[in-house]
Amino acid sequence: MSAGTRTAALAGRLPKVGVQQLLPGGVLILTAAALLIARPDGHYGLVLAVVPFVAAAVHGVAGTAVVGTLTVAAYVVLRHQLLEGGTGVWLIKLAFVAGAAVLATVMARGRVRERTLTHTRELALALQEGLLPQHLPATSAVQVCHRYVPADTDAGVGGDWYDVIPLSSARVALVIGDVAGHGIHAAAMMGRLRTAVQTLADLDLPPDELLARLDDLVARTGQNEQRPELAATCLYLVYDPVSGHCSMSGAGQPPPALLHPDGRVEFAPLCPQPPLGVGGTRFTALDLALPMGTVITLYTDGLLDLRRHHSDTALDHLARTLGSAGPTLDGIADHVCASPHNTSDDDIALLLARTRMLPPSAVATWRYPATARSVPQARAAVSGQLSAWGLPELLPSTELAVSELVTNAVTHGGGPITVRLIRDRTLVCEVTDTGDSTPRPRRAAALDEGGRGLDLVTQLTDRWGTRSTGAGKTVWTEQALP
């Protein structure tokens, strides 16, 4: 290696020093030089007390302490130039310079702490914004609008979150929650809960059962991470645009507000439940029938500002605010968030959903007994309905899928058997029976006469699944419309 190469490599390892970092040392040298040539009968030595504060504005705690020490040492070295008033006065001035050095170090510590808190808050905010859905999925069930207002606190953002999850059979799940605490840990836990809810929602669990499993997850997480104070709130709501019914269950969340088409506002009568993380809670579900055009308002407790207002007063004010808002969801969201009543120092998450309903012409339902003759009857009914809808491209795959599902219902389930077609963004085919066994694909041997039905359904449709109905089960399939 040549000398020039070694020099370049050494220069690359050396830290880069900026002009600002050299400023305190330069001020110290210039001040000391000025004091050497100044008259000894003045108080010019006190000018050295400014140098540590210059260092505090540029360096961190260690750099400020070093510059402060050098400043005090310079004052000691220049003692013979600063003898006016005698030794006693000089000692008082020395104490003043030393106190300035200590104060500048404390200021540097506060400056570093403030910079660290700002960086942590910005990092937590970026993490939470990255974990929150940027674009909520469009569904035929609801029209949605959302807002997130972070609190302006040094502690960082909280764990408020929301989500819209499309479910089978044109249904949709609306979720809102809040993790206790602020900062990166709260934002990270929020992301874990959101992922868990999406996974559990894919299983088509009822709201109360979903929250029970989520409660166990939060409780186990608190035990594993030795965080007994870990707690979170959540509200999970499922809306069906075919029937206009919704089912909801909450854990520590305030009740959703329902803005009816006639302008009347009421709150869903949810039973109060403890937050997630307590463990062993028996959650209950509430079923409601909602008219088309109802605005479901989900929000976190930051909107109510319960630290300054009683819960009943805050809910009454929210009801008046919703009742006086405009007709559009964006207008309602802006009106609610801009209310002068909202002076909370907690984060605010708001999710609005206006309900829709599928027209009766988009749904066809048949009911059959659990007999072998029901299979060709169901196949013929589905074929006629697809022809009426102008979907001949889907006839072969749908007929075969219905034949397999109805055959399974006759063989392994119980009657009556309900077949339903839903024409939405996709074609949904449902077969409901009273059996409690969950169908699962299995590997059939070469000489087996059965066991290939669900494999065939998987090949014929885009996706399929099953869900419990309380009195049995529903097996559904989805196919993209041509």
Side-chain angles (χ1 to χ4, degrees), residues 212-432:
R213 298 195 182 188
L214 203 63
D215 180 47
D216 293 337
L217 172 64
V218 176
R220 290 198 306 269
T221 302
Q223 294 174 359
N224 296 336
E225 299 181 359
Q226 297 182 352
R227 297 171 60 191
E229 77 284 355
L230 180 61
T233 63
C234 183
L235 190 144
Y236 186 81
L237 182 149
V238 176
Y239 174 71
D240 187 350
V242 176
S243 63
H245 282 77
C246 76
S247 178
M248 68 184 77
S249 185
Q253 274 290 121
L258 305 176
L259 175 59
H260 293 277
D262 59 2
R264 180 172 49 92
V265 179
E266 64 176 350
F267 292 91
L270 271 177
C271 295
Q273 300 282 358
L276 300 172
V278 176
T281 304
R282 295 179 59 88
F283 294 97
T284 58
L286 173 67
D287 295 324
L288 295 175
L290 301 179
M292 184 174 63
T294 301
V295 177
I296 304 173
T297 306
L298 305 181
Y299 52 93
T300 53
D301 56 0
L303 186 67
L304 301 179
D305 194 10
L306 297 179
R307 299 176 183 177
R308 297 183 178 89
H309 307 282
H310 190 269
S311 60
D312 294 338
T313 303
L315 292 176
D316 290 342
H317 179 81
L318 177 59
R320 290 193 301 270
T321 304
L322 288 172
S324 61
T328 65
L329 290 185
D330 284 327
I332 296 174
D334 293 338
H335 186 64
V336 170
C337 293
S339 173
H341 183 80
N342 299 331
T343 58
S344 175
D345 55 358
D346 194 6
D347 295 0
I348 296 175
L350 178 66
L351 178 63
L352 303 177
R354 176 172 279 126
T355 60
R356 298 167 173 165
M357 291 191 67
L358 296 181
S361 59
V363 182
T365 307
W366 305 273
R367 179 168 292 188
Y368 303 101
T371 62
R373 290 182 300 177
S374 299
V375 177
Q377 293 175 358
R379 186 169 58 246
V382 168
S383 176
Q385 187 61 55
L386 290 181
S387 299
W389 281 343
L391 299 174
E393 300 91 339
L394 300 180
L395 271 174
S397 58
T398 307
E399 285 181 344
L400 286 174
V402 167
S403 296
E404 293 296 336
L405 295 181
V406 174
T407 299
N408 286 344
V410 171
T411 305
H412 305 289
I417 298 172
T418 302
V419 179
R420 185 169 71 166
L421 288 182
I422 302 174
R423 181 178 180 177
D424 186 33
R425 297 173 182 266
T426 59
L427 177 66
V428 180
C429 177
E430 296 179 345
V431 176
T432 303

